Amino acid sequence: MNDTRIVAVAKELPEHCRETKDIIPYVDFWLQGQEERFRRKVVKIFEGAAVDKRYGIMPIEEVFLASSFEEKNAIYARESKKLGRKVLEKALKKADWAPGSLDYIITVSCTGIMIPSLDAYLINELNLRQDIVRLPVTEMGCAAGVSGIIYANNFLKANPDKRIAVVSVESPTATFQLTDYSMANMVSAAIFGDGAACVLLSSETQAKGPRIMGEDMYHFRDATELMGFDLTNHGLKMILDPKVPETIANHFPAIVHPFLEKYGSAIENVEHLIFHPGGKKIVQTVEELFGKLGKNINDTRAVLQLYGNMSSATVLYVLERFMEKDIKEGEQGLILSFGPGFSAQRVLLEW
């Protein structure tokens, strides 16, 4: 059986950056016509979101300008190509891999629409091989970074001596709806930010890095309404049910314990929790559940604070922090993220 190893993880941030305290006056101005109580409530959501700053593919002034789906998506496409190129180059440099040595490329995004998908542009930009196998992963939301790793592992298990790049580029600011005063839009505006990440994986015998011991997806039945986007004439309109944290809590034992058991492990053996920071409430919910098991998710909380939720890329930012730590051989890590479907996706690592 081939071993898949995570060789390198890199991140790339867009050029525009604002602290939450500097965004609040824009939010206040935007909500001028709304009743005072509602405005105060929204400002409180921003203040209490546990996000100190976030990055964006456009300046904050542009985010609050009325523009069409076409205009916002054009910015998304233009900036995604830039971020995708930079983050892939950065990861290849970290691993000391030549661009032409990649056998597969998986691109992940759900915050805009591009056909051909990002990978086609990256093949040209970095002069990747003409026979590289490409897989664009869309419509899987926050879970898709882990989905990309799962698909990569399946490719590599079947193909020894191969290399693969998973590139995630997300810009939730391109989906911000100026005329949507729903709580879902307010909450998502308060927690989301833009960013890109890249994971390089290999099934070569000499590859170094944590080994994938196992991976699985877990699909919640009849929960398609919990999270996602409605495609409207104004763009992608956020769907976010307040029941998400509670639903996760109810399913939590079924998500974690049988999965670890299947791969010959148990929560007691998992030292490192690489959890997707969906938002403050989800982080608190999972922290409570893991806290009872004597574990912490400090890196998850730090990533939310520093960057916000960048959809599928966020968990890869958490993973990068673990890749930079001095982790003892034999220790295990659990990657976990949730997304539309509703689904939980898990990967078990061993250093």
Side-chain angles (χ1 to χ4, degrees), residues 10-29:
K11 66 175 179 294
E12 186 65 41
L13 292 155
E15 59 182 292
H16 304 287
C17 177
R18 278 294 170 105
E19 290 190 15
T20 298
K21 63 179 171 52
D22 299 326
I23 293 170
I24 288 171
Y26 289 92
V27 174
D28 218 21
F29 184 75

Side-chain angles (χ1 to χ4, degrees), residues 13 25 35 42 52 59 70 127 148-149 162 166 194 215 236 337 341:
L13 292 155
E35 98 188 40
V42 173
D52 288 354
E70 187 180 340
N127 200 19
I149 292 173
K162 299 288 185 200
V166 177
D194 301 349
E215 31 77 2
L236 297 161
S337 77

Side-chain angles (χ1 to χ4, degrees), residues 277-295:
K280 185 182 168 184
K281 279 191 178 152
I282 294 176
V283 170
Q284 283 171 342
T285 302
V286 173
E287 196 158 33
E288 240 163 68
L289 296 161
F290 275 134
K292 285 175 188 157
L293 305 165
K295 314 283 171 187

